[in-house]
Amino acid sequence: MEHASWLSGLLVYLAAAVFAVPVAKFFGLGSIIGYLAAGILIGPWGLKFVTDPQQMLEFAEFGVVLMLFLVGLELEPQRLWSLRKPIFGWGNTQLFGSAVLLVAGSLAFGIDWRFAVVAAIGLAMSSTAIGLGVLAERNMMATTAGESILSVSLLQDIAAIPILALVPFLVLGSGHEASSSGWLGPAKAIGTIAVVILGGRLLLRPMLRWIALSDTPEIFTAASLLLVVATAALMNAVGLSMALGAFLAGVLLAESEYRRELETDIEPFKGLLLGLFFIAVGMSIDFAVVVQQPWLIAGVVVAFLAVKAFVLWTMADAMRIPMLERPIFVLLLAQGGEFGFVVFQTAQQAGVISAPVSSFLVAAVAISMLLTPLFLVAADRWWIPFLAGSKRRPDVEEIREAQNASVIIAGFGRYGQIVARVLFANGVKPTVLDHDGEAIEALRKFGWPVFYGDATRLDLMRTAGADRARLLVLAIDDIEQSVECAKMVRENFPEVTIVARARNVQHYYELYELGVTMIERETLDSALMTARSALEQLGWQPHQARNLALRFRRHNVAQLAALAPHRKDEARLIAAAKQGRQQLEELFAIERQQAAERQARAGWSAGSEPP
């Protein structure tokens, strides 16, 4: 019977997701709303196919763990270290700034201070699952708003232990005894984090290398899942956030040669479990509480969303987040989060709040999570266009109607303009995208048909005609946005050929790893032209200088491609680079000697030619 029950439950979850998500996507509401709606439909307050959402929520939370592991794989330790100030600075500002304002508001209404503190802390937390899920869906992880949201989310995970350790102390003086080992938990947490970091540095790569030697793909997939599960279980054993442990494991492997394979193995499981998590959140909404006190719960939801939005908008201004990114930053962090469920449950068990109050607060958090995707849809349709319109004059045309050009140029700075001029001169009229409103206004005065738009957005690229175009000229100046655009196009429009501009060698390698093979470094040809002029001034004939420059170019491009697999191994990279430079010098020395011998046989004066 248990086996049949398990199968029937799985059937219900999958059927609900398969039905609800495409419907939500069809109406432009996004997959998250589809999952939440599916949870409400099959939950205790819908068709009652599932009556215990809490059990599923604990299982589905593993989707958040896998997501944080994948986020960690994208952050090398050096980059994570560079985010330390936003994490502990702005992360603390959001969490404790929101909590202090919420406590002050609660006390003004005569609410007990212990209850006010618990409610404020729980409501101040944000949903990591929805926040990072939306960023990934919109390709915004590398933007200013994306990194800021990640920083705040990481701080909330780090703050899990001290917050949960605080709850038992709130019952002092109210007839309950706090545990005498209140500080033992944080000590264990710090020790566990140290074990994860040291073990990851010393053991993870050798272990994965040994498993990879077995040449058994399914075992490597099992090892990938084992790594995440073991790290999460270790963190959970000491009461720390499982997602934080998985994130640390991902960061430690961000520079590993197995990074891409790990991403490929984990991604399918992450997507499915994350969907189940949102279904469980939809099922967890206690509509009995909502029906009993609809106006009160609506007031609480509006109040805490408004307080957090005020704090976040003030932060966005101080952090200098671009105006068009601020709505996403505010909406994704103003909502309540899944960690609030844990805070309220812990407070209920400790006797700080009653079961009905806990259900009330959980319902408020779940409703805010349900409303967030709807707010995002409204922001896309009205708020962001309003901000964009106030930033740019009306004569800047935003791309709205589907285009049908065979070539798309992403980025119309000094580099993209030269490419476009050559194409226009030869009768090719590309669709041109750029995100600098002021530059577009200036360019359109000269007759350039440039559209306003962010080429890293999937929906905008579809409108630009990427599903019909033959070629994408990737001329974006910003390296991170360039890589994000290339990744998005390779994943969603594999038939489009990408001709890319690389700012430097590092940029070249990042594009090369994505499968982009037609890459031109922006300074290479201009530097070679300068080198040709230098050789001519030193006595070389123009045709000799040209041939030498072209030969150097072919050698340099071939060497970059040969070194690409070893770019993470600094020792091998340096050795190979030195060897390549020595080979080129020897080749040119032989050619100079042969040229001198030919000149001598022809009776030329050796003194009039370069050595």
Side-chain angles (χ1 to χ4, degrees):
M1 291 296 293
E2 291 182 1
H3 181 66
S5 176
W6 180 83
L7 282 177
S8 61
L10 183 61
L11 176 63
V12 168
Y13 299 144
L14 294 178
V18 169
F19 172 76
V21 173
V23 171
K25 295 278 282 187
F26 176 79
F27 288 104
L29 300 177
S31 60
I32 294 177
I33 289 184
Y35 285 121
L36 293 170
I40 296 173
L41 180 66
I42 66 175
W45 305 100
L47 300 177
K48 294 184 173 59
F49 289 139
V50 180
T51 56
D52 185 14
Q54 185 61 34
Q55 184 178 3
M56 180 189 171
L57 184 61
E58 294 175 356
F59 169 73
E61 189 180 357
F62 196 63
V64 183
V65 174
L66 293 177
M67 180 177 63
L68 264 294
F69 177 74
L70 292 176
V71 170
L73 283 177
E74 296 294 333
L75 284 175
E76 297 179 354
Q78 294 87 348
R79 186 181 172 199
L80 179 62
W81 179 250
S82 69
L83 292 174
R84 65 190 184 280
K85 291 183 180 179
I87 291 174
F88 292 99
W90 295 117
N92 279 314
T93 300
Q94 184 278 325
L95 179 60
F96 295 107
S98 299
V100 167
L101 291 179
L102 289 171
V103 168
S106 301
L107 295 178
F109 284 94
I111 297 175
D112 180 77
W113 71 270
R114 298 178 183 84
F115 167 74
V117 169
V118 170
I121 291 176
L123 296 176
M125 308 296 283
S126 308
S127 174
T128 300
I130 293 180
L132 299 189
V134 170
L135 290 177
E137 188 175 28
R138 295 178 175 229
N139 293 301
M140 291 185 63
M141 193 68 74
T143 63
T144 304
E147 290 191 348
S148 301
I149 292 170
L150 174 61
S151 299
V152 173
S153 299
L154 289 177
L155 186 279
Q156 293 179 2
D157 280 331
I158 293 171
I161 278 293
I163 287 175
L164 291 179
L166 172 68
V167 171
F169 287 97
L170 296 177
V171 300
L172 290 174
S174 61
H176 298 269
E177 294 184 0
S179 172
S180 61
S181 58
W183 298 106
L184 185 60
K188 288 181 179 180
I190 294 173
T192 302
I193 292 175
V195 168
V196 170
I197 294 175
L198 293 176
R201 284 286 186 185
L202 300 176
L203 300 177
L204 284 184
R205 289 190 186 181
M207 180 191 74
L208 291 175
R209 190 175 296 115
W210 177 68
I211 293 172
L213 290 175
S214 68
D215 197 24
T216 311
E218 62 270 20
I219 296 301
F220 193 89
T221 301
S224 304
L225 291 172
L226 175 63
L227 168 64
V228 181
V229 172
T231 308
L234 181 62
M235 288 292 191
N236 189 54
V238 296
L240 200 59
S241 166
M242 294 189 296
L244 177 62
F247 174 79
L248 289 176
V251 171
L252 293 172
L253 290 171
E255 294 180 324
S256 166
E257 61 269 31
Y258 304 108
R259 168 185 166 186
R260 294 301 178 190
E261 190 168 357
L262 287 168
E263 288 180 341
T264 303
D265 288 341
I266 296 295
E267 183 69 34
F269 298 96
K270 183 267 294 185
L272 179 60
L273 290 176
L274 201 57
L276 292 179
F277 171 80
F278 292 128
I279 291 177
V281 170
M283 290 190 298
S284 67
I285 300 177
D286 191 344
F287 284 95
V289 175
V290 178
V291 171
Q292 290 174 2
Q293 300 174 304
W295 295 113
L296 180 60
I297 201 166
V300 170
V301 172
V302 171
F304 89 79
L305 288 177
V307 168
K308 292 178 71 175
F310 169 76
V311 173
L312 290 164
W313 189 266
T314 305
M315 286 173 52
D317 186 58
M319 297 168 72
R320 297 185 178 180
I321 294 176
M323 186 63 69
L324 297 181
E325 297 179 14
R326 292 187 188 183
I328 303 298
F329 174 77
V330 171
L331 292 176
L332 291 184
L333 291 176
Q335 64 184 311
E338 53 273 5
F339 187 71
F341 300 155
V342 181
V343 172
F344 301 143
Q345 185 180 21
T346 303
Q348 178 188 340
Q349 293 172 350
V352 181
I353 60 177
S354 63
V357 171
S358 176
S359 298
F360 179 91
L361 292 173
V362 167
V365 170
I367 289 173
S368 74
M369 295 170 72
L370 176 63
L371 291 175
T372 297
L374 297 174
F375 287 153
L376 288 172
V377 173
D380 287 336
R381 293 182 179 177
W382 295 294
W383 192 5
I384 294 177
F386 172 78
L387 293 176
S390 63
K391 184 178 179 181
R392 306 188 319 276
R393 291 199 298 267
D395 59 343
V396 176
E397 182 179 356
E398 184 175 7
I399 185 167
R400 293 178 180 175
E401 297 182 0
Q403 305 297 307
N404 198 31
S406 61
V407 180
I408 299 173
I409 298 180
F412 206 58
R414 53 190 174 84
Y415 196 97
Q417 289 178 36
I418 295 174
V419 177
R421 289 177 65 182
V422 174
L423 292 177
F424 271 103
N426 287 275
V428 179
K429 296 183 179 180
T431 297
V432 182
L433 301 175
D434 199 277
H435 67 278
D436 189 333
E438 295 181 0
I440 291 173
E441 288 179 326
L443 290 166
R444 290 184 68 82
K445 291 178 182 178
F446 290 90
W448 287 108
V450 186
F451 293 100
Y452 180 86
D454 182 357
T456 63
R457 284 177 48 189
L458 175 60
D459 57 339
L460 187 141
M461 288 298 287
R462 290 192 190 278
T463 305
D467 52 350
R468 298 177 295 277
R470 294 173 52 193
L471 183 70
L472 168 68
V473 177
L474 187 56
I476 297 175
D477 184 72
D478 185 87
I479 293 178
E480 290 187 356
Q481 290 186 2
S482 171
V483 173
E484 282 297 317
C485 180
K487 183 178 180 180
M488 182 268 293
V489 171
R490 291 288 296 172
E491 290 177 352
N492 296 280
F493 311 104
E495 301 300 323
V496 176
T497 301
I498 301 177
V499 179
R501 157 217 198 169
R503 294 289 305 276
N504 49 41
V505 173
Q506 182 69 22
H507 188 192
Y508 178 98
Y509 280 139
E510 291 187 26
L511 293 171
Y512 188 87
E513 285 186 350
L514 294 174
V516 181
T517 56
M518 298 182 183
I519 311 171
E520 298 295 339
R521 282 178 288 155
E522 63 179 29
T523 58
L524 177 61
D525 286 320
S526 58
L528 288 176
M529 290 295 292
T530 302
R532 285 176 55 182
S533 299
L535 290 175
E536 291 175 13
Q537 292 302 313
L538 292 173
W540 270 260
Q541 295 295 321
H543 72 278
Q544 291 177 316
R546 176 181 179 277
N547 290 337
L548 288 172
L550 291 176
R551 196 169 297 134
F552 179 90
R553 192 186 196 284
R554 288 194 295 270
H555 172 84
N556 187 265
V557 172
Q559 186 182 35
L560 278 180
L563 293 178
H566 313 299
R567 75 182 189 95
K568 297 291 187 180
D569 190 335
E570 185 177 2
R572 292 188 63 180
L573 190 66
I574 293 174
K578 289 181 177 179
Q579 183 181 5
R581 186 167 63 249
Q582 182 179 357
Q583 290 175 349
L584 185 63
E585 291 173 356
E586 291 175 352
L587 175 63
F588 281 3
I590 293 173
E591 291 183 353
R592 287 197 303 272
Q593 182 179 359
Q594 292 174 347
E597 291 175 353
R598 288 195 299 269
Q599 293 169 2
R601 285 195 298 269
W604 292 346
S605 171
S608 64
E609 290 294 332

